Amino acid sequence: MPVKYLNSSGEKLEKIALAIKSIAPDIISLQEVKGSAQAKSLADALGFNYVYVSHGDSRLEWGLAVLSRFTIVEYQQEVIHHDDKKPRVALVCTIDVINSSITVVNVHYALGEYDQQVKETMRIAENITGPALLMGDLNLIDPEDGLDPMRTAFIDTCEAVDTKGSREAKQRGTFRVGSQRIHYIFVDPDYFTVLDVGLTAEEHRKASDHLAYFACVTLKNRTK
């Protein structure tokens, strides 16, 4: 959705909160968040902790948020797209999940110049030790376009299983209109097992112009 159309009405946020509650997630990665107040409103509705960072767009305060029912130990932002007209940052945070520290990288790519944004994202990933999740809106209409570097370190959760949910996500896509899958959750296969993936139920798909994609993963009982 274009930045100028971002909406923070209470009714819209309530619908988004209900959509999130319907899948009972532990960690939530949000893009196109209109300021820290919007992130806090959703976190409060869910009873979750949250962090927010801005892309630094001079036209409007908007950015990325991570919400979790677990403690968010620390966070930082990393620039991944050096462009004054459409800047982008990654939100990198550490979450304490049942005595394990998990690093979550949340991104929202600008259209075009994917090679640069993927390169910067992988630079971040290479400096992570321990379990890592890469989540976000990659704005990549062609799923094969530019993602090879990510697949050297991560697995695409939607490709990791063959279930009813994964098949629907591939066929339906993550736009409310159209069939493109541009939202991804990548995981480090050394640490995670993918159990299932999917989209929120039909009744929750009008909460946003993008459909919520989720993955059910579990930590392996091992370390590198």
Side-chain angles (χ1 to χ4, degrees):
M1 179 181 292
V3 174
K4 64 181 180 180
Y5 295 125
L6 283 174
N7 192 328
S8 59
S9 71
E11 181 182 0
K12 184 176 181 67
L13 292 179
E14 182 179 354
K15 289 179 179 179
I16 292 172
L18 288 173
I20 294 171
K21 288 179 181 178
S22 73
I23 56 173
D26 293 324
I27 300 171
I28 305 156
S29 172
L30 298 174
Q31 301 81 43
E32 298 189 7
V33 182
K34 190 177 181 180
S36 59
Q38 192 177 71
K40 182 179 186 303
S41 178
L42 284 170
D44 288 348
L46 298 165
F48 275 23
N49 304 300
Y50 81 97
V51 291
Y52 167 84
V53 297
S54 169
H55 289 299
D57 193 322
S58 61
R59 299 167 298 167
L60 184 69
E61 171 63 27
W62 74 310
L64 306 167
V66 168
L67 285 59
S68 179
R69 70 182 184 90
F70 297 108
T71 301
I72 301 174
V73 179
E74 60 182 358
Y75 74 98
Q76 62 186 15
Q77 64 185 57
E78 298 272 357
V79 176
I80 60 171
H81 192 232
H82 307 266
D83 188 320
D84 292 338
K85 294 183 178 179
K86 47 182 179 179
R88 289 291 192 275
V89 299
L91 169 54
V92 185
C93 60
T94 303
I95 300 177
D96 187 5
V97 180
I98 313 175
N99 298 320
S100 294
S101 290
I102 293 177
T103 302
V104 175
V105 181
N106 180 9
V107 295
H108 179 197
Y109 285 176
L111 291 170
E113 300 181 23
Y114 298 122
D115 288 347
Q116 175 200 352
Q117 294 175 90
V118 170
K119 180 180 179 181
E120 292 295 330
T121 303
M122 292 312 299
R123 173 186 60 79
I124 295 168
E126 287 167 1
N127 290 323
I128 295 172
T129 56
L133 303 168
L134 171 58
M135 312 162 76
D137 178 352
L138 303 189
N139 266 321
L140 290 165
I141 302 303
D142 181 350
E144 300 300 323
D145 184 12
L147 295 185
D148 284 346
M150 288 184 181
R151 292 192 169 99
T152 63
F154 296 96
I155 56 173
D156 178 353
T157 54
C158 199
E159 299 290 348
V161 292
D162 182 17
T163 63
K164 180 180 178 181
S166 68
R167 291 190 292 272
E168 182 188 25
K170 292 174 187 176
Q171 295 167 5
R172 175 66 183 80
T174 55
F175 275 139
R176 196 195 312 173
V177 178
S179 58
Q180 298 90 357
R181 182 168 70 94
I182 63 172
H183 301 82
Y184 293 82
I185 299 175
F186 287 93
V187 299
D188 184 336
D190 288 336
Y191 288 98
F192 292 97
T193 299
V194 182
L195 304 178
D196 199 4
V197 303
L199 305 174
T200 51
E202 190 70 39
E203 65 190 275
H204 295 295
R205 294 184 185 178
K206 293 184 179 180
S208 169
D209 62 331
H210 293 188
L211 306 184
Y213 171 73
F214 67 87
C216 180
V217 303
T218 184
L219 275 167
K220 295 180 178 180
N221 186 24
R222 58 167 293 181
T223 58
K224 285 186 176 181

